[in-house]
Amino acid sequence: MEALLASTLTVAVAEIGDKTQLLALILAARFSHLSGGKTAIILGIFLSTLLNHFASAWLGQWAIGLISPELARYLVACSFFAIALWVLVPDKMDEEQSRFYKMGPFIATFILFFIAEMGDKTQIATVVLAAKYDALAMVVMGTTLGMLIANVPVVIAGHFSAEKLPMTLIHRGCSLLFALLGVLTLIF
């Protein structure tokens, strides 16, 4: 249960202001006028995240099995500290990839979210969380739930704007959370 809760909280907080949350806002603005557009976007986010985070968590558990438990503990802790610093740098949305928009809201969302998550903070966090906890299913469920907690309200509201949130405070809080996970990994 600890893996599920830690994964959900970590990713939900890390996702606020992230490029995939900005992508959710763009997709909602683009497709929300279509019948079932919001549902298709949410389903695309869910399935893309589930697939991406399953692969990431599997990689984290596989990689951690190749090294000694002591070295693994230090690598996981250092990874949490690195992510703590990384979240202090706000994301910017890359160029729109309008060629995918022709494929409709579900396919566009699925592809764009999968691409946007590659090498993203939340994907790296998923790898590290899976390395820390020996609970692949709980980590994947938690990180996927965290993505949905952060992105579904953006899609439903449609007009939601990340600029209205205290982003500096959110990024600092998220950084503190990752640093705390690093310290707890070293202690326990």
Side-chain angles (χ1 to χ4, degrees):
M1 202 60 169
E2 180 184 346
L4 176 70
L5 294 174
S7 298
T8 302
L9 178 64
T10 301
V11 170
V13 172
E15 183 64 12
I16 297 173
D18 192 68
K19 67 183 172 191
T20 45
Q21 191 177 50
L22 298 174
L23 176 60
L25 180 62
I26 291 168
L27 290 164
R30 173 99 176 143
F31 293 115
S32 63
H33 67 284
L34 297 176
S35 175
K38 289 181 181 182
T39 302
I41 293 167
I42 292 168
L43 187 58
I45 291 170
F46 170 69
L47 292 176
S48 179
T49 300
L50 188 64
L51 179 63
N52 189 296
H53 287 199
F54 174 78
S56 302
W58 179 85
L59 177 66
Q61 286 202 335
W62 173 78
I64 209 70
L66 299 176
I67 56 178
S68 73
E70 189 65 19
L71 178 59
R73 190 178 80 166
Y74 289 114
L75 285 175
V76 168
C78 287
S79 297
F80 278 132
F81 294 134
I83 296 170
L85 294 174
W86 188 6
V87 297
L88 293 174
V89 180
D91 277 332
K92 295 181 181 92
M93 194 60 210
D94 299 330
E95 285 183 33
E96 285 190 56
Q97 299 183 351
S98 59
R99 66 178 182 246
F100 295 112
Y101 293 160
K102 295 179 227 169
M103 298 176 181
F106 172 74
I107 299 294
T109 301
F110 183 86
I111 292 170
L112 291 172
F113 253 77
F114 194 86
I115 292 169
E117 266 300 286
M118 298 304 285
D120 194 47
K121 290 180 284 250
T122 50
Q123 184 188 40
I124 303 302
T126 302
V127 172
V128 174
L129 287 161
K132 177 176 175 46
Y133 298 105
D134 189 23
L136 182 106
M138 290 293 117
V139 169
V140 173
M141 284 192 316
T143 59
T144 302
L145 183 60
M147 288 287 284
L148 293 173
I149 288 169
N151 288 303
V152 168
V154 171
V155 174
I156 291 172
H159 62 277
F160 176 79
S161 176
E163 289 89 39
K164 295 179 183 176
L165 296 172
M167 294 310 296
T168 302
L169 183 62
I170 290 168
H171 284 249
R172 287 179 184 163
C174 184
S175 177
L176 183 62
L177 178 64
F178 277 109
L180 180 63
L181 285 169
V183 169
L184 290 174
T185 299
L186 288 174
I187 293 173
F188 299 107

